[in-house]
Amino acid sequence: MRLDGFYFVLVSARVFASPLQQVPVDRRGLVDYISSLATENPNTGDDAIPALSRELIEISKNVEGALPELSPRDILTDLSQFTLPALDGFTVEAVGNAAIWQEAVDLDAKINPKEILNQYFIRLLDFVQQAAFNTSIAFETRVSMARGLQYLQVYPARFDQAQAAVPADTLVQMSPAPQQTIQSFGASGAWWPNYLKHFPVEQQKNLSSLLFSEDWLHLSGYRYNMGASGHNDSQAVTTPGRGVESFMLTDASYDWRRDGPGVYYLKAAHEAGVTSITAFVNAMPAALTAEKRPCGATLSAEAIPAFVTYTTTVLSRLVEQDKIRIDYISPMNEPDNNFIACNQEGMAVQTSERAAVFQQLRAGLQASTTPGLKAIKIMGDETSQIASEALGEYSTWLPSALASQSIDAISVHMYDFPDDTTLLNYRQFVVNQSLPNSPPPIKQTEVSTFTTARDLWAPWGKTGGKTFGPEYDPSIHSALDMARFIWQWLTLVNAESWDWWTAVSNMMPCSPSKVPECATTFTNTSGSAFNDGLLYIDPAYAETKDYTFYFTKRFWVFKHFTTFLRPGAVRYDIPNELLPYGTVAVAARNMDGVYSTIFVNRNATEQAIRMQLPGVSGKLTKAVQTTDAVDFEDVAPLPVVAADGTFRVTLPAKGVLSVQFTVAGGGNGPVAGRMRKGKRGYPQTAQSGGSSLEENEDDVS
C-alpha cells in the first residue's frame, strides 16, 4: 500500500512502438467546466487569475455559441510560454517551464495525434503546481499559479467520454466480439487477522462467511500476506497490527506455529472454494536482511537465492502440510519503495534484479517434487503506480521475464489513479513489451485510500496522485468511485482480475460505540481515517468490546461484481457512446450460459435505457440494485423483453443495477440468488449503523 508522496517522470515516446488508442473529447463539457470556475469564484479578482484562465472564462461566457478552436495542445503551448517573476529561491528549471513544456508538446505530437490531453500532461501540470506551494515564492503568485493550472488536472477524468446524445432513443448493444475471460474479484488478508485474533470465535467464523460464502460477498480471489517480522528484530513495524509474523525467526530458524490468524483465514478461503489464492510478499524476513528488520532493505542479487529458498519452503509447508491450494506467488510488492520509515513491512527490488527474482523463483518451484508446488504460477511486479513507475520500468525487466517464461501474469496497483487514456496507453505498452509473443494476463491487485469524487468530479471521478489521501466515506459516493475503477480495468486494460486492498479495516475516525453516528458519517478531517476497507471494526474494540462488523456501500457494490461475474465469465464490450452521460457498463457471459450486465450510474438522476439482448427467445431472470437507500435489493417486477428482443430499464440515481438474462442456447437461471435469510437474517448496512453478529469468549491462536 502506497503511503508516500508525489512522483514525477516524463516517459519517453520510444516506449510506444504501436499506435495508441484514443478517447474522443467532449469539448462542450470542457466549456461547461470552465464556466463553472467563474460561477464558483465570482469574487476572485483579476490579479488572482492568470491570463490563460481569464481567456478561457471569457470563451465560456458564450457556451451556447460555437466553441472556438482551442485544443489541449494549444493550451499546453500557451503554458510553455507562461513564466513566473524571478524570485529568491526560485528558478525556471525547478518549474520546468518552456523546455519541459515543449518536450511534453513534442511527445504529445508523436503519441497523441488526436490531441487528447492525458495523464502525462497531468503529471507535468502537477509538477508545475508544486511550485505554487513553494513558500519562497510570493503568496499572490503561488495562488495565481495554482488556480490557473488546477482545472487541467480534472480535464481527462471529466471530459474524455463520448456518450449517447439521447440515451432513451439509443439502443444499447453488446459488441459481438468476446474479450477477456474474467478470473477473480478479491481482497487481501492484510492486516486485519492481527485484530481478529482478539475477537470471539463466532465472530471470526462469521467474518469467513461474510467474505467467502455465496450468501454474502462470495470473493473469488484472496491474497494471503506472507509476513516478514521475526520475534527479535532490531526494529519492529511502528504501526500497530501491520507487522505480520514470519515463519522464519530472526535467527533464521522456522516456527510453523506463527501467523495463526493469517493461516486461519487462508484456510477459510481454501475451504470455501475461492478459486484464485495468492501468497504475496511485502518483504523478505528480517533474518535475511543485514539490519535484521522487516523494512528498509533492498533485495540484492546476492540475497535472491536465500530469499527464493525461504519462499519455496513456506509455500511447500502450506501446500504439503496444511493442504492449502496456492494458485499464485507474488514475490515483491511496490518494489520501488523500501518503506524505510517502517510503518509497514517492505523491501525495494531494483528493476535490474526483478527478472532474476522471477527466474530463480521459477527454477525453485520447478525443482520441487510436489505437484501442488510445481503448479504455482508467478505474478509480478506489484508496481504501485502506472504513469510514474510501470510505464517507465517494465522495459527493464518484463521482456526478459517473458522470454524466460518465468512470469505468468502482470500484477499492478493503481495508486496514481490513472485516467482512461493512460490506462489505454498502459495496455498498449504491455502489448508492445511482450512482442513477438502475446501479452500475459493483467491483474489489478491493490487499490484503496482514495478521496471521494464529488461535485464537479462526480460524473467521472478524480484521477491523478492527489486522489490518494485520508478520508472516511462509507456512502454510495465512494462505492461508485470503486465501481468505475473496476470498469476501467475490465474494459480499458482487459484485466482478468481486480482486487481491493484490505477486506477489513480499523481506520475509522472514531469509535462507533462511543459516537454512534461515526460508522455512517463522512469525514475528511481525520488523518487516521481511510477508505481502505470493505468492512470496518471499532478501532477501540479492546476497550469497548464492540465486535461488530460495520458495512460500507463498497461492500455491497463489490458484491455485484463478485456475484454476477464469476470465474470463467467472458466479457463483451458495451460502447460508451450508447450510454447516458455519467454511466458505464460491464457485460459478460458466465460459464453456465447466463449473461450479466452491471450498469453504474453516477448521475444524481435516474437514467432510462433500452437494451438489445444478444440472441433470440431472451428473458430476464434477475435484477438487483444498490443505491444510497438499499443494499443489493431485488428489483421487481422484472422488465419484460419485447418481441424484438429489447427491454427498457431505469438505472437508479447514484446507484448500481445488475441484470441477468438468458437467450436461446444459453443458461436457464441466475448465477446466484438473492442473499438467503439465515439465522442472522439480512444485515443492516453501515448507513444504518452496521450489523451485530453472534459472539462468544474464545479466539483463534
Side-chain angles (χ1 to χ4, degrees), residues 612-634:
Q612 176 75 57
L613 297 185
V616 298
S617 302
K619 66 176 181 179
L620 270 63
T621 59
K622 191 172 188 63
V624 175
Q625 64 181 350
T626 295
T627 67
D628 192 51
V630 300
D631 300 319
F632 208 74
E633 179 182 79
D634 281 337

Side-chain angles (χ1 to χ4, degrees), residues 50-203:
L52 178 63
S53 290
R54 291 203 303 274
E55 176 186 346
L56 293 175
I57 290 172
E58 286 299 317
I59 292 171
S60 73
K61 289 179 179 178
N62 184 23
V63 295
E64 298 300 328
L67 177 63
E69 288 299 322
L70 183 66
S71 71
R73 189 168 300 125
D74 294 330
I75 297 172
L76 288 166
T77 302
D78 196 348
L79 284 173
S80 73
Q81 309 303 316
F82 181 60
T83 58
L84 291 176
L87 297 172
D88 292 339
F90 176 79
T91 63
V92 170
E93 289 73 24
V95 176
N97 226 331
I100 287 185
W101 282 116
Q102 189 57 52
E103 187 173 356
V105 172
D106 292 344
L107 171 62
D108 184 55
K110 294 179 181 178
I111 69 172
N112 193 10
K114 294 186 178 181
E115 299 186 346
I116 311 301
L117 188 65
N118 62 35
Q119 187 154 322
Y120 303 118
F121 296 126
I122 298 309
R123 291 208 158 274
L124 287 165
L125 294 167
D126 217 1
F127 177 70
V128 173
Q129 192 171 349
Q130 301 305 307
F133 300 97
N134 185 333
T135 56
S136 66
I137 303 174
F139 176 78
E140 293 78 7
T141 302
R142 289 187 278 121
V143 171
S144 174
M145 192 170 185
R147 288 178 176 169
L149 299 178
Q150 216 164 20
Y151 78 93
L152 283 174
Q153 291 183 299
V154 301
Y155 176 87
R158 184 170 165 78
F159 308 116
D160 65 359
Q161 293 298 327
Q163 301 279 278
V166 186
D169 297 335
T170 303
L171 189 61
V172 176
Q173 295 177 294
M174 296 167 50
S175 299
Q179 301 299 316
Q180 80 273 30
T181 298
I182 295 170
Q183 296 299 332
S184 63
F185 294 96
S188 82
W191 294 284
W192 47 268
N194 287 336
Y195 312 129
L196 266 292
K197 69 182 180 182
H198 302 298
F199 276 45
V201 163
E202 192 63 23
Q203 281 294 77

